[in-house]
Amino acid sequence: MQWAHPIEQSLEQLDLVDHADDLKRDGLTIVPLSRTGFTMADVEVARQALLAAAYERTGHQFRIDETPCEEIQVKASPTARQRNAMTSEFDRLGANGYLVMVYMLQAHPIFRDLVTNPVVNTLHRFMLGDDFRLTTSNGFVKWAHPEGSWGKYYGLHCDSPLVEPANARFAANCNWFLTDCEADDGPLCYLPGTHRTGKHPQGNVTPELLAQVRPVEAEAGSLVIFDSTMWHGSWPRSKPGLRLTTHTQRRVPLLTPLSDFSGLGDELIEGSKDPEVMRMLCWR
Ligand SMILES: O=C(O)CCC(=O)C(=O)O
């Protein structure tokens, strides 16, 4: 698509130059709620929509300040259509207190607003160039897991294909924190600068590197934008209650998307706040 301004100008207009510098240096930046264009009321809408989707997809009524004590089962995923879908196209449970829901975009208009958010798209454009596609619109519900059951390596990974060098400008993530996250809330974690190593963490995490992994501590409403080739994972959660986040990823068109948005209805696209961006993101 034809963007209205060169990327440098858009970064300046949206006051994102410092965030672009963070992305270059560390591979991750935290945009506080006050600079996202969203309000706390939007965050509350997203929280409720995420909890409603979790109920619909599991039959369990999650409550933000309660740790689920019964076994959670995922019901038929809304995307379990009669086709050969990839694992990443199904709702699923992580081993330790982790529900991953896919296709949130269709679950509530607030998730579409996240997809067209100019701050997200400008920073992702800075990382990926002018042409990219939406490849996930997920929701995470995370709760405390049995002590000692969390892997030593925090599940460190890159979201790019397992080939090296891993530093091509292929994919960029945006995690919208819907609950406050300090270390004991079990947030996203990362190893700054690893997007410049060209390596995947598998087989490369030395004890020195492991000691440098940091939790991403940020308030509810923050947009955490990062380079998908930067090593990241999930910090263990020790607190009761839930951590809620949404996750969207964009990739260059060359790569197969993790979720397929090419069949999205015209209404959803044309009714968005930025149909032109939506058309590009959804392969129109
Ligand atoms: O938020 C988390 O716990 C992990 C997120 C993650 O792995 C991702 O965004 O790719």
Side-chain angles (χ1 to χ4, degrees):
M1 72 170 253
Q2 197 63 42
W3 295 92
H5 306 289
I7 182 64
E8 295 76 16
Q9 202 176 327
S10 298
L11 288 171
E12 275 183 23
Q13 274 173 355
L14 291 170
D15 201 11
L16 295 174
V17 175
D18 292 353
H19 292 289
D21 289 344
D22 290 348
L23 287 168
K24 255 197 265 176
R25 187 188 57 247
D26 296 335
L28 178 142
T29 193
I30 302 171
V31 184
L33 175 65
S34 57
R35 290 169 82 172
T36 62
F38 287 119
T39 62
M40 207 54 204
D42 294 320
V43 174
E44 186 52 32
V45 169
R47 270 185 204 149
Q48 294 310 324
L50 203 135
L51 291 174
Y55 175 65
E56 196 182 297
R57 297 177 190 201
T58 63
H60 180 80
Q61 188 73 64
F62 288 90
R63 291 181 213 289
I64 220 150
D65 47 4
E66 279 175 20
T67 307
C69 52
E70 64 189 73
E71 204 172 308
I72 311 292
Q73 302 283 342
V74 174
K75 295 201 289 190
S77 169
T79 57
R81 299 174 225 136
Q82 277 119 20
R83 65 191 181 95
N84 287 332
M86 296 180 293
T87 327
S88 48
E89 289 186 286
F90 294 92
D91 297 333
R92 57 198 177 276
L93 281 164
N96 300 303
Y98 216 155
L99 170 66
V100 180
M101 297 180 288
V102 297
Y103 291 96
M104 295 303 290
L105 175 55
Q106 291 96 317
H108 192 282
I110 192 74
F111 300 114
R112 186 175 59 181
D113 294 346
L114 177 62
V115 166
T116 56
N117 180 283
V119 169
V120 182
N121 281 302
T122 303
L123 287 172
H124 278 191
R125 184 180 164 211
F126 169 72
M127 283 184 276
L128 301 176
D130 285 351
D131 195 23
F132 46 84
R133 304 287 181 267
L134 185 69
T135 79
T136 66
S137 169
N138 294 349
F140 294 152
V141 183
K142 186 175 171 183
W143 57 96
H145 42 82
E147 213 183 316
S149 67
W150 207 246
K152 170 178 162 198
Y153 295 104
Y154 311 107
L156 283 178
H157 63 282
C158 301
D159 286 343
S160 50
L162 201 58
V163 286
E164 292 185 343
N167 53 0
R169 299 194 316 168
F170 274 152
N173 288 33
C174 164
N175 291 19
W176 195 20
F177 282 17
L178 300 178
T179 44
D180 290 337
C181 269
E182 292 178 353
D184 52 1
D185 291 295
L188 170 76
C189 63
Y190 76 118
L191 193 49
T194 39
H195 62 305
R196 290 185 270 106
T197 63
K199 290 184 166 36
H200 284 267
Q202 284 84 347
N204 292 314
V205 187
T206 59
E208 292 73 28
L209 288 175
L210 195 61
Q212 292 167 40
V213 176
R214 303 182 186 163
V216 178
E217 297 185 292
E219 286 179 357
S222 306
L223 288 172
V224 181
I225 311 276
F226 59 100
D227 188 315
S228 310
T229 61
M230 189 212 46
W231 302 3
H232 60 279
S234 210
W235 199 257
R237 181 178 176 100
S238 50
K239 265 196 193 162
L242 305 177
R243 189 209 81 180
L244 304 180
T245 38
T246 64
H247 165 281
T248 64
Q249 191 193 70
R250 288 159 182 71
R251 289 182 166 197
V252 294
L254 177 75
L255 285 192
T256 316
L258 297 169
S259 296
D260 178 5
F261 296 100
S262 60
L264 209 64
D266 288 345
E267 243 170 66
L268 222 83
I269 293 178
E270 301 307 322
S272 79
K273 288 189 175 158
D274 192 340
E276 205 183 343
V277 163
M278 275 297 274
R279 277 183 227 122
M280 175 190 77
L281 289 171
C282 301
W283 298 88
R284 295 297 164 89

